Amino acid sequence: MPQSEKPEPELPGRFITPIAFGTILQPLNSSMIAVALVGIRAHFDAGTSVTWLVSALYLATAVAAPAMGRIADVLGPRRTSLAGLVLVGITSAAAPFAPNIAALVVCRVLIGIGTAAQYPCGVAMIRRAADQLRSRPGNALAALAICSQVTAALGPSLGGLLVGGFGWAGVFWINVPLALIGGAVIMRWGPADPPARGGGRMKALAQVDPIGMLLFAVSITALMFWLLSLAATPEWWWLGVAAPAAALTVWWGLRARDPFLDMRLLARRGLSFTYGRTIVTYTAFYCVFYGLPQWLEETRGLGPVGAGLVVLPIAAVGAVSTLLATRLQRRRGPRAALVVGTAALCVGGLLLTVPDADSPIPLLLVIAAMLGLPNGFNSMGNQSAMYAATPAERMGAASGLYRTSQYVGANLAAALLALVLGVHADDAGLHRMGLAVAILAGFLLVASLFGLLRRRRA
């Protein structure tokens, strides 16, 4: 084989480790808070307002991820990531001393902003290192996907240990050493940032398009509040705010010289389709992630520990399937990975229509393993499609929007679960949820097959 035809090497591990480490903070903080809510409610006598500790992080991350990604595009992903880690560390150290539940919610918002920076900055650093070293990003992107899946699944277990040893404050204090370690490894091995645009950081910061960022923040915040309300009593007036704000965001993105959201890029490179597919994928994923443990506890009677052990294969198989997906798309491209992932998700959804309250544990473990298989393929396929369609100078903002798409899917899943499971997750509710997941996966499968056939004809 001629020298020019040799495949590019994978990105060296010394770049992957520091980039991937910072990305564990967001899924960890989103999942381990679940086991601390009872203690926090009792400490502050907070009542139902304690649920804002969960919603506030998702809202903050959904809004902040593309904003921090855009700042990373302008100022550099390394320094933006470090700034986010500093924010997480300082806020987490102060959070246990919050005087009331409102102040603690503010702390969760700030933690959400700091953790939101890590994924888009990580992908932007991967792109920069890969371009400089002429390397493939496959292993690095796989590391990000595995970190997200594994830490989200292990979050409740780690949170339980922390709450048991240090009280509810432990789920905040753990962020301090993690932020310090993350900052240290990024400073030591993270790819250096390019020089600031225009010769100065303040001048470069003016290029982030604050008007476009504000319009996007209003539209996505209103959309998320509307989605959150769907699980109980829909508050349609939020949609009345979101729609015109979104229209203004599109108008400004077409008009501005250097917009926060480049609408022409979204349309021209098919990114909007990738984001839409990601929303549907994560709607199905979070239905399983939240709905199956609820059924295992309420109807199968396993309790929190037993339910956690039964769903553990979802994370374990998901990590393995990520590695398999990396190999597949190296040969066949991301669309092939999406076909496999959506087909497996469709099968997994149909399998959820089988169990009942007397189903044996081995059967449930097999179903959980099957439900973990599509995660790696879908995650790598969508992530790689976004990566391939985005120019280097927009990688941060595009990666942030990818993260936002995931959280929109999470809130849609909450609304869908309220519809199909109801108040009590019985056998019929689980079967309805499985059918809903299978229908969503079938829709994605048709779209993926169509895209694969169109590519082969081109």
Side-chain angles (χ1 to χ4, degrees), residues 144-157:
L144 297 188
I146 291 173
C147 283
S148 178
Q149 292 176 24
V150 172
T151 52
L154 295 180
S157 300

Side-chain angles (χ1 to χ4, degrees), residues 11-85:
L11 196 64
R14 69 178 185 274
F15 290 107
I16 298 174
T17 302
I19 292 171
F21 186 86
T23 62
I24 70 174
L25 286 170
Q26 196 287 320
L28 198 62
N29 278 273
S30 67
S31 59
M32 67 181 177
I33 191 68
V35 296
L37 293 178
V38 173
I40 294 173
R41 182 186 293 114
H43 180 82
F44 291 105
D45 193 21
T48 58
S49 62
V50 75
T51 59
W52 274 104
L53 293 171
V54 178
S55 302
L57 187 85
Y58 280 122
L59 284 168
T61 307
V63 174
M68 298 299 284
R70 178 58 179 155
I71 292 173
D73 289 334
V74 175
L75 293 185
R78 186 171 181 264
R79 60 176 65 98
T80 305
S81 176
L82 289 171
L85 291 173

Side-chain angles (χ1 to χ4, degrees), residues 372-408:
L373 182 62
N375 293 344
F377 287 95
N378 288 329
S379 178
M380 285 301 298
N382 285 320
Q383 190 174 234
S384 298
M386 178 273 298
Y387 184 96
T390 306
E393 68 275 8
R394 288 280 177 173
M395 188 56 67
S399 302
L401 281 174
Y402 177 78
R403 209 59 151 177
T404 300
S405 300
Q406 296 179 8
Y407 300 129
V408 171

